Amino acid sequence: MSQDDPLVASLPAVAQLSLVYAPASARQPTLALLALDARLATLIRRSSEPMLAQLRLAWWRESIAQSPQTWPEGEPILATLRSWGNRHADAQTLVDAWEAMTAPSPLGVDAMSKFAEGRGAACAALALVLGCARDEQAAMTLGRIWGAEDLATRLGRNDERALASTLADTQPRKLPRVSRPLRSLRVLAGLTRRRRESGSEAGAASPAAVLEALKLGLLGL
């Protein structure tokens, strides 16, 4: 799997870096989660009306719930999601997360919490997909951190970002340790937090951030 892969190229920089730390056996399932999340983010961003976004999200929810045998050909995210086996329907929790972002503006803490919980549930599902059931709760925590920290830097309104920062501050400060197949989630949560604390995208891709990713992803520290 290389940067030439269109799905990898579609990921935000932090997600691309985190994917590097997924061992070969975990890369396709992890890529499926990250690529679906990136696609849904783009869908929300490009929808001019909440109703339109909800209709598009409904297509993804219904498609994911169906048997992979019925999935349309030529959709690379669904093709990659086949790596989730009989747990593919669990990826609907990401759709639920992004649907929370269609709530009326300004977004309240309930919508933000639902978003973080949805990402957490998707990460917990990934733990089960990868045979790491003992890490399910830790993966859920990492997903919540990823969600809350992401909102704190991505939302467009200052009051929304401030509220999301408060939510992020309620998450555990210490990143839980996980088995090697899930360390990409730990990198993702850690670098997303660094991006907020540094106040810039560059902070998440700086030499210091790369070193932190090495510690989180390769050494598990």
Side-chain angles (χ1 to χ4, degrees):
M1 188 180 303
S2 69
Q3 300 287 19
D4 295 331
D5 184 324
L7 283 187
V8 176
S10 73
L11 303 179
V14 168
Q16 288 188 29
L17 181 55
S18 71
L19 187 62
V20 171
Y21 294 94
S25 61
R27 283 178 185 170
Q28 283 293 316
T30 304
L31 176 60
L33 182 149
L34 297 176
L36 176 59
D37 185 82
R39 177 72 66 85
L40 297 177
T42 299
L43 182 159
I44 293 292
R45 186 168 59 249
R46 293 181 178 175
S47 296
S48 57
E49 297 291 338
M51 182 64 71
L52 181 58
Q54 289 166 3
L55 288 172
R56 291 171 174 171
L57 289 170
W59 182 89
W60 278 101
R61 180 181 289 107
E62 292 167 6
S63 296
I64 292 169
Q66 294 171 1
S67 168
Q69 295 179 346
T70 68
W71 287 349
E73 297 293 332
E75 173 45 69
I77 292 176
L78 290 178
T80 306
L81 191 59
R82 292 178 187 275
S83 64
W84 279 41
N86 60 9
R87 303 203 71 96
H88 63 86
D90 292 347
Q92 292 177 90
T93 55
L94 267 184
V95 183
D96 296 338
W98 282 102
E99 188 166 30
M101 295 294 97
T102 66
S105 181
L107 291 174
V109 69
D110 286 347
M112 295 180 190
S113 295
K114 287 179 182 177
F115 178 80
E117 289 294 329
R119 271 190 171 173
C123 291
L126 178 64
L128 299 179
V129 168
L130 296 178
C132 301
R134 67 178 182 177
D135 294 323
E136 183 180 2
Q137 289 301 315
M140 182 174 287
T141 297
L142 291 172
R144 288 172 180 154
I145 294 171
W146 171 35
E149 295 286 356
D150 208 22
L151 289 180
T153 57
R154 296 295 191 189
L155 291 175
R157 296 172 53 120
N158 290 337
D159 54 344
E160 290 178 337
R161 291 197 301 274
L163 190 59
S165 291
T166 300
L167 177 63
D169 287 339
T170 67
Q171 305 302 314
R173 185 63 198 170
K174 185 176 178 60
L175 298 177
R177 293 192 177 191
V178 287
S179 303
R180 188 167 178 267
L182 291 167
R183 283 187 188 170
S184 57
L185 296 182
R186 200 161 185 262
V187 174
L188 186 63
L191 293 188
T192 305
R193 174 173 282 169
R194 171 177 280 274
R195 185 178 64 203
R196 175 170 72 103
E197 294 176 344
S198 68
S200 71
E201 286 289 327
S206 66
V210 172
L211 178 60
E212 181 174 349
L214 179 66
K215 292 193 298 182
L216 293 171
L218 190 60
L219 305 178
L221 300 178

